[in-house]
Amino acid sequence: MKDEGIPRIEAGSGIDPVGRYPGEAHNHEEIVAKLRQVDVLVSQGQSVAEARLVVNRFTSPH
């Protein structure tokens, strides 16, 4: 399949390919910190979905 002129987004470019966070792509350290927070909350009995909501509520830039 030929590339139809769609630009490639390289890892570490700082561009969020999904576009959920314009100009605010997360760096590796932020991602690891969020995953660790979710891990702690899940180990305390919360579901992954609940933990994700809690972590995003407290780490959202908005």
Side-chain angles (χ1 to χ4, degrees):
M1 178 176 228
K2 184 180 176 189
D3 185 3
E4 299 294 326
I6 299 171
R8 292 187 51 92
I9 299 173
E10 300 298 325
S13 67
I15 298 172
D16 180 7
V18 181
R20 290 178 291 211
Y21 307 103
E24 293 285 332
H26 298 293
N27 65 37
H28 298 116
E29 292 81 15
E30 292 170 328
I31 294 168
V32 170
K34 284 186 176 198
L35 289 171
R36 287 184 176 147
Q37 290 172 338
V38 169
D39 189 42
V40 168
L41 293 170
V42 169
S43 72
Q44 293 173 348
Q46 289 193 12
S47 71
V48 173
E50 292 170 331
R52 182 191 62 83
L53 291 173
V54 169
V55 168
N56 283 338
R57 186 176 314 133
F58 292 110
T59 59
S60 175
H62 302 96

